[in-house]
Structure formats: structure tokens, C-alpha cells
């Protein structure tokens, strides 16, 4: 438990809470929070550290006390507070770390603990204008929050998990992770005007976010069609280094997918088109369910004939992890394509190097692709995903329209290959009351048979009305189904009941070619005196995991970049 707390101190700092992807609640997914951001206030920090504790097999719960959210972890038959945001914990006389209730009942645990953490509440609370913690000294002020017990209550607000960090690099695709930044960060809703100008800041006022680049330039002479085209492509073929309309008289449709594990802050596409400007360019943010014609499109003549079109996708890609680009034309002829994306990442998630010998290991994750469905707070955002429903109301929550009557909604997830797993997560408002229930089911045979994976009835917990559902389900799929239906059934008898911030992921097998190899470039800097010198190591990995030594000189070392791309 203490090791997880220390991890948070080393990888997470206090700053504003991101919101993204049409979800009106703040981000609390562990993978996103630690890898893409690396910051958040107490009500983000607490769900992230509790997710880490639970991954370690520990039971957790969360409290709110006078405007501060704090996590507890259970071990040894008792609860213990380890605050990773304000950064402190206290040992009692028996040597055990105290709980929230014990701290609220005994001020001496603040002023005279048997042992206190290191650090021990080094920062103050943010003021009315959200900004990084300020130094203020002793723990007496944090003590006041505990002792005002009238508004201390348990709040089960945890992470809705499931976000995959895996990226299967396609031929011609390169990802670069950098500890430095290019001045591009996700300016999410709710960020103050002052902070919009600087970007995320650590307590010491230093800018503390990184950027990366994802570039995809497929070679149309060699790229396999399944690696180039996404679901919805039709009447097109690859021939002689071009993507062509296959049958005359019918429009050719080419759909390209860009997926990035890190939150995108800028994205552009360049297409080389033979023929006129008659091609139509559209963008989708919801997996191809709805499309919007691209507005930031420019056309220009290119050398050798034909046209080059540049599409600025930033306004549709920012704050997201995926978009689809669709090009339609009666005589479609593409001779080249390139997609460039800048994303935000947390520098603290990157490797640390030290002077001397460092052992570096390159791992390979599962050959797994995924599709996602994110239900936003608006009625329109939900309605476009629903394939069947009964007695459902669609405000911010997904909830039955009429009380004491069954309501349900069915959603579809479609993938390019046989499904192997589902990951379903949501926040539940489930206040106390008899006769209420919620059940989640899935079907791989178009709704003929359903399998229940989650059911909750009659909440009788006096301390809690908010719950989180999060589960990954391996699928037995002998028929090789590429589609899954997910059904949510509900009965309510109260006003405060429903499903919010819902995320569905479907996973499928995405095997790599036999003998696939990865080219890796590592760059770092070594300090001698007042000078920093750039260093680099390049290698090609064909067997995983692969270990190699990285010898670093100088008095200090700092990491710069990792660049990875499929090797020929």
C-alpha cells in the first residue's frame, strides 16, 4: 500500500482535472491519467491511487471531507489513510497507519504522531481560483478538514477503466515519445484563462508535460489492404501504387482510421489525389456511426499532375484518441496519404536513466486491436449509438423514462476481426430504494441469446449512492463473430438513478506478420559540468522481450525521446 502511495508521489502532481470525449465528469481512468496527463487534483488523484491499490489486490474506499477527497486502503483487518494528493499519513501508538475516522477523532495524530510520512503535507490546499498547491507549512490546516466531521462522508467515485495503451504499428507508422513539449497541450473545458497560456505546471511552477508524434505514411505499393483501410471502405482496390475505384459508375469509399493511445492535441492529413476536386472528405468521431464533412480542407496542384489535399482535423481530434477519415469519389484515385498527429503525454511515465549502466527491456504487448464506444451526456450523443430501446430517457444519464417499468437500450460494437473480449464500464447513480435494478448483458448472435455480466438490485448502503461498474469479459466466440450487442436493462423508482460516463470497448485479434521487427531509437542527454551532450542508441528488435545495456556517462542523465517503427 505504501509503495503504491510512493508511486503516485513520483508520477502524479496536483493540477487541474481534465475532461474529454464528451464526458462531462472529470477523467479518472488510470491508464489515461498516468500515461497521458500525470496530474489532477484530489478527486482525480484518489480514484487513480485506489485503482492501483485494487490492481494489487487490496480493498479501498474514498471519503470527502470539507472539500477534499481522500482515499483509504484496507489491510490487516483495518482501514488506513494514505493521502497521495496532499501527501501525508500518520502512525498511531500501535504502529499502524491511522484511518480517516481515527484522524477525525484525535487531533494529536496530526500534532504528535508516532511516525509521520516523508513528505508530510508539504503543500496547502488550492484557493478559489484553481492553481497548484502553495507552500504553507504545518499540518494544522489539513487537520481542520478532518475535525469538521459534519460533512465527512464516504464517496465511491472511482475510475471507469478499460482504456487500452496498446498500439499496433502498421507499415509506415512511427511513434515518438518525448519528455519535452512543443507547446501543445489539451486545453480542456474548465481550465482557467491564466493556465490556458502556460499549460500544466508542477508545484515549482515548471511546465511539466510532454508531447509525442504519431506519423503514418503508408506505401501504397506494398501496404496490405487490411492495414490501410478501415470498416466501411467499399468499391476500392490497390493497384500499381494507387488506391482506385474498382467498379465504374459507383462511388469508391476509402476509410482511414487513426488511433492513438495518448490524448490528441493536433492532427492533419495529406492526400495525393489524381483527378479533380470532386472527392468528398468526411470525419467521424464515433466509429463511423455519424459523419461530418471536413471544413478545413485545402486543394493545391502537385508535381507530376493531380492535386494534393490537406485536411486539418485538429478541431475534431483534440481531446480524443481516435478519428476516422472517409474519402468518397466516383473516380477515386489516391497515389499517397500521410497522417500526422501530435499528442500529450506525461514525462514521468517515460523511462528514467542514471549515470552508469542501465538495463533496458523492450516488451511486446498482445496482438490485440480494439474498437470503442463512448456515450456522451447529450441525448443526440446517445441516440446515434442505440440500435433498439424501450422506455428510456436520455438526458445526461441513461435512465428509464417511467418509474417501476422495465427500460432497456441496446448498443452495437463492430470490429474488423473476430472478437476476443469486451471491457464495459460506467458510473452508476443508484440511490437507496426497493424495486430498483440494473443489469448489463451481451450477445454475439444478433440478440438471439444474451449473457448477463453484471446485476445490481436494491441498494441498501446508507453511506453510498454512487457506484462504478468496470469489468473485462473474455469471450468464447467459436463462430468468429465480429459484432457484439450490449444491452442495459433498468428499473427505477426514484429520481436519482441512471448510468453515466459509459465506455464500451471490444477487443479483437490483430496478429502481426511472421518475423515482424521493431526499430527503436533512444535519445538522452549527459551532463558534464555545465554542459549537456546529446546521445543516441539505435537497434532493431526481432525477438521479445529483448534486453540490452545502455551505458550513460556524465554526472547526471536525463531522458529525451523514444522512437519506434516497424523495421523492414
Amino acid at each position: 500500500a505504501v509503495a503504491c502511495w510512493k508511486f503516485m508521489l513520483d508520477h502524479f502532481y496536483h493540477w487541474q482535472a481534465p475532461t474529454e470525449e464528451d464526458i462531462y465528469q472529470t477523467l479518472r481512468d488510470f491508464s489515461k491519467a498516468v500515461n497521458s496527463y500525470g496530474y489532477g487534483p484530489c478527486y482525480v488523484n484518489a480514484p487513480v491511487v485506489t485503482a492501483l491499490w485494487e490492481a494489487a489486490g487490496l480493498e479501498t474506499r474514498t471519503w470527502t471531507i470539507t472539500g477534499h477527497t481522500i482515499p483509504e486502503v484496507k489491510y490487516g483487518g483495518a482501514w488506513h489513510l494514505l493521502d497521495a494528493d496532499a501527501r501525508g499519513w500518520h502512525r498511531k501508538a500501535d504502529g499502524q497507519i491511522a484511518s480517516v475516522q481515527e484522524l477525525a477523532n484525535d487531533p494529536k495524530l496530526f500534532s504528535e504522531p508516532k511516525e509521520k510520512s516523508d513528505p508530510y503535507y508539504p503543500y496547502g490546499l488550492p484557493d478559489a481560483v484553481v492553481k497548484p498547491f502553495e507552500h504553507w507549512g504545518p499540518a494544522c490546516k489539513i487537520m481542520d478538514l478532518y475535525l469538521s466531521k459534519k460533512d465527512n462522508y464516504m464517496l465511491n467515485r472511482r475510475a471507469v477503466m478499460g482504456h487500452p495503451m496498446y498500439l499496433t504499428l502498421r507499415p509506415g507508422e512511427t511513434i515518438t515519445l518525448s519528455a519535452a513539449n512543443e507547446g501543445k497541450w489539451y486545453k480542456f473545458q474548465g481550465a482557467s484563462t491564466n493556465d490556458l497560456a502556460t499549460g500544466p505546471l508542477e508545484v515549482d511552477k515548471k511546465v511539466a508535460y510532454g508531447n509525442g508524434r504519431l506519423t503514418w505514411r503508408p506505401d501504397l505499393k506494398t501496404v496490405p489492404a487490411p492495414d490501410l483501410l478501415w470498416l466501411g471502405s467499399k468499391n476500392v482496390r490497390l493497384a500499381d501504387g494507387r488506391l482506385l475505384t474498382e467498379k465504374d459508375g459507383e462511388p469508391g469509399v476509402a476509410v482511414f482510421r487513426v488511433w492513438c493511445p495518448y490524448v490528441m492535441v493536433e492532427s492533419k492529413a495529406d492526400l495525393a489525389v489524381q483527378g479533380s476536386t470532386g472527392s468528398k472528405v468526411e470525419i467521424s468521431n464515433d466509429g463511423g456511426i455519424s459523419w461530418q464533412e471536413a471544413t478545413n480542407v485545402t486543394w493545391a496542384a502537385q508535381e507530376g499532375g493531380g492535386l494534393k489535399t490537406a485536411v486539418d482535423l485538429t478541431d475534431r481530434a483534440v481531446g480524443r484518441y481516435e478519428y476516422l477519415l472517409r474519402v468518397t469519389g466516383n473516380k477515386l484515385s489516391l497515389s499517397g496519404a500521410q497522417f500526422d498527429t501530435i499528442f500529450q503525454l506525461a514525462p514521468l511515465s517515460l523511462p528514467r536513466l542514471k549515470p552508469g549502466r542501465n538495463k533496458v527491456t523492450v516488451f511486446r504487448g498482445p496482438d490485440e486491436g480494439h474498437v470503442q464506444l463512448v456515450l456522451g451526456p447529450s441525448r443526440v450523443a446517445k441516440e446515434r449509438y442505440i440500435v433498439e430501446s424501450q422506455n428510456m430517457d436520455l438526458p445526461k444519464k441513461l435512465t428509464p423514462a417511467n418509474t417501476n417499468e422495465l427500460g432497456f437500450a441496446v448498443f452495437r460494437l463492430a470490429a474488423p476481426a473476430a472478437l476476443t473480449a469486451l471491457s464495459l464500464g460506467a458510473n452508476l447513480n443508484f440511490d437507496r430504494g426497493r424495486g430498483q435494478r440494473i443489469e448489463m448483458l451481451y450477445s454475439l448472435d444478433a440478440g438471439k441469446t444474451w449473457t448477463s455480466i453484471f446485476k445490481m438490485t436494491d441498494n441498501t448502503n446508507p453511506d453510498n449512492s454512487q457506484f462504478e461498474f468496470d469489468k473485462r469479459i473474455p469471450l468464447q466466440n467459436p463462430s468468429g463473430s465480429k459484432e457484439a450487442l450490449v444491452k442495459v436493462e433498468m428499473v427505477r423508482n426514484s429520481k436519482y438513478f441512471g448510468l453515466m460516463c459509459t465506455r464500451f470497448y471490444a477487443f479483437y485479434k490483430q496478429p502481426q506478420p511472421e518475423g515482424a521487427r521493431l526499430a527503436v531509437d533512444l535519445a538522452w542527454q549527459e551532463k558534464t559540468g555545465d554542459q549537456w551532450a546529446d546521445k543516441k542508441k539505435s537497434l532493431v528488435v526481432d525477438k521479445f522481450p529483448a534486453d540490452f545495456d545502455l551505458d550513460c556517462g556524465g554526472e547526471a542523465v536525463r531522458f529525451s525521446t523514444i522512437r519506434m517503427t516497424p523495421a523492414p
Side-chain angles (χ1 to χ4, degrees):
V2 175
C4 293
W5 176 81
K6 288 180 178 178
F7 172 90
M8 290 298 294
L9 267 58
D10 198 29
H11 289 79
F12 216 75
Y13 62 90
H14 184 98
W15 204 66
Q16 298 191 42
T19 57
E20 59 180 33
E21 286 194 319
D22 298 328
I23 297 297
Y24 63 94
Q25 289 196 359
T26 53
L27 177 139
R28 299 194 300 275
D29 186 298
F30 181 90
S31 292
K32 292 180 178 181
V34 170
N35 288 287
S36 217
Y37 295 99
Y39 54 77
C42 57
Y43 53 89
V44 173
N45 190 301
V48 173
V49 70
T50 54
L52 189 59
W53 280 331
E54 291 185 359
L58 300 170
E59 184 179 351
T60 71
R61 67 186 184 189
T62 305
W63 288 75
T64 180
I65 55 166
T66 323
H68 182 44
T69 303
I70 46 178
E72 279 190 313
V73 58
K74 190 175 185 180
Y75 58 84
W79 289 100
H80 311 276
L81 162 80
L82 292 92
D83 191 335
D85 183 61
R87 304 188 170 213
W89 49 258
H90 328 69
R91 288 199 192 277
K92 302 178 295 180
D94 64 2
Q96 294 298 310
I97 295 176
S99 69
V100 169
Q101 290 173 309
E102 289 169 333
L103 289 166
N105 293 330
D106 188 356
K108 288 188 176 181
L109 287 173
F110 285 89
S111 57
E112 303 174 23
K114 178 179 180 180
E115 179 190 347
K116 58 186 179 182
S117 60
D118 182 17
Y120 185 65
Y121 301 109
Y123 314 120
L125 291 175
D127 58 20
V129 178
V130 179
K131 62 181 182 181
F133 277 159
E134 301 286 353
H135 290 273
W136 53 258
C140 58
K141 291 187 179 180
I142 200 84
M143 178 177 69
D144 293 340
L145 305 183
Y146 287 85
L147 299 182
S148 57
K149 293 186 285 185
K150 63 181 180 181
D151 57 356
N152 295 359
Y153 61 93
M154 280 184 281
L155 178 68
N156 183 31
R157 183 167 289 175
R158 300 181 184 168
V160 176
M161 305 287 281
H163 177 73
M165 292 302 301
Y166 298 126
L167 172 66
T168 300
L169 291 167
R170 298 166 288 191
E173 193 166 29
T174 301
I175 189 169
T176 303
L177 312 178
S178 175
N181 69 78
E182 303 179 32
K184 299 179 184 297
W185 63 283
Y186 174 36
K187 300 174 177 61
F188 47 84
Q189 289 185 340
S192 71
T193 303
N194 291 338
D195 291 327
L196 286 175
T198 61
L201 297 171
E202 281 195 16
V203 176
D204 59 8
K205 309 297 185 184
K206 291 181 180 178
V207 174
Y209 68 97
N211 280 137
R213 285 183 174 265
L214 181 66
T215 301
W216 183 33
R217 190 173 185 176
D219 184 345
L220 300 189
K221 295 180 180 178
T222 60
V223 65
D227 286 332
L228 177 68
L229 299 171
W230 189 247
L231 298 173
S233 299
K234 60 182 180 180
N235 194 33
V236 288
R237 63 186 176 89
L238 284 166
D240 301 323
R242 291 187 297 166
L243 185 66
L244 304 169
T245 299
E246 190 165 26
K247 296 179 182 178
D248 292 337
E250 299 178 21
V253 180
V255 180
F256 305 97
R257 184 200 194 205
V258 172
W259 155 256
C260 182
Y262 300 86
V263 65
M264 293 187 281
V265 294
E266 183 177 290
S267 194
K268 298 178 181 179
D270 292 293
L271 306 172
V273 182
Q274 304 297 318
S276 68
T277 60
S279 298
K280 186 178 181 181
V281 182
E282 299 168 288
I283 307 167
S284 175
N285 291 129
D286 54 17
I289 293 174
S290 64
W291 294 89
Q292 180 177 330
E293 190 163 0
T295 55
N296 298 327
V297 181
T298 57
W299 296 86
Q302 62 177 342
E303 292 184 14
L307 297 166
K308 184 175 183 180
T309 177
V311 186
D312 189 340
L313 301 140
T314 299
D315 62 338
R316 300 299 305 276
V318 65
R320 299 178 183 274
Y321 299 82
E322 175 196 49
Y323 67 80
L324 303 182
L325 183 72
R326 183 168 71 181
V327 184
T328 306
N330 288 327
K331 292 186 177 180
L332 189 65
S333 177
L334 297 180
S335 59
Q338 180 168 328
F339 301 84
D340 294 288
T341 298
I342 299 176
F343 54 85
Q344 179 180 325
L345 65 87
L348 295 174
S349 69
L350 296 174
R352 316 287 176 88
L353 300 174
K354 61 184 180 181
R357 178 159 294 182
N358 297 268
K359 179 183 177 182
V360 180
T361 304
V362 181
F363 295 92
R364 173 173 166 174
D367 292 345
E368 185 176 74
H370 83 282
V371 292
Q372 67 175 17
L373 185 156
V374 180
L375 300 185
S378 71
R379 179 183 298 272
V380 173
K382 295 186 181 69
E383 284 179 337
R384 67 186 179 212
Y385 290 115
I386 293 175
V387 296
E388 183 184 359
S389 67
Q390 171 184 301
N391 184 35
M392 293 302 293
D393 193 13
L394 305 172
K396 287 186 176 181
K397 294 181 291 187
L398 185 68
T399 189
N402 301 318
T403 58
N404 299 309
E405 295 182 17
L406 176 67
F408 70 83
V410 179
F411 306 89
R412 177 183 289 114
L413 288 162
L419 299 178
T420 57
L422 295 174
S423 178
L424 311 178
N427 304 124
L428 311 179
N429 266 1
F430 203 129
D431 52 338
R432 294 182 297 279
R434 294 290 182 181
Q436 299 193 123
R437 74 176 181 88
I438 182 169
E439 186 171 9
M440 200 168 288
L441 312 95
Y442 75 89
S443 172
L444 296 178
D445 56 10
K448 296 177 183 178
T449 58
W450 293 92
T451 301
S452 177
I453 54 176
F454 172 79
K455 188 173 183 179
M456 187 173 181
T457 59
D458 296 339
N459 173 29
T460 59
N461 184 352
D463 296 315
N464 202 5
S465 63
Q466 296 193 19
F467 300 86
E468 273 69 33
F469 166 73
D470 174 43
K471 191 170 185 179
R472 180 175 171 121
I473 308 99
L475 297 177
Q476 301 297 320
N477 187 10
S479 65
S481 175
K482 299 178 182 180
E483 288 191 355
L485 297 180
V486 177
K487 180 191 285 189
V488 181
E489 291 187 350
M490 302 183 190
V491 177
R492 72 172 179 92
N493 60 24
S494 63
K495 180 180 180 181
Y496 303 103
F497 180 90
L499 204 68
M500 305 177 297
C501 302
T502 308
R503 296 181 184 273
F504 300 152
Y505 298 89
F507 297 89
Y508 61 93
K509 187 72 173 176
Q510 191 178 25
Q512 293 301 291
E514 189 71 26
R517 306 194 306 162
L518 184 70
V520 181
D521 296 319
L522 268 76
W524 68 97
Q525 292 181 313
E526 298 174 0
K527 184 180 181 182
T528 303
D530 296 330
Q531 301 297 316
W532 287 93
D534 293 327
K535 301 291 182 179
K536 183 178 180 181
K537 183 178 180 69
S538 299
L539 65 152
V540 174
V541 180
D542 55 7
K543 294 182 180 179
F544 301 87
D547 292 329
F548 64 94
D549 289 332
L550 196 65
D551 292 318
C552 299
E555 304 156 9
V557 181
R558 61 188 183 195
F559 178 85
S560 296
T561 62
I562 304 177
R563 181 181 182 273
M564 293 171 284
T565 191

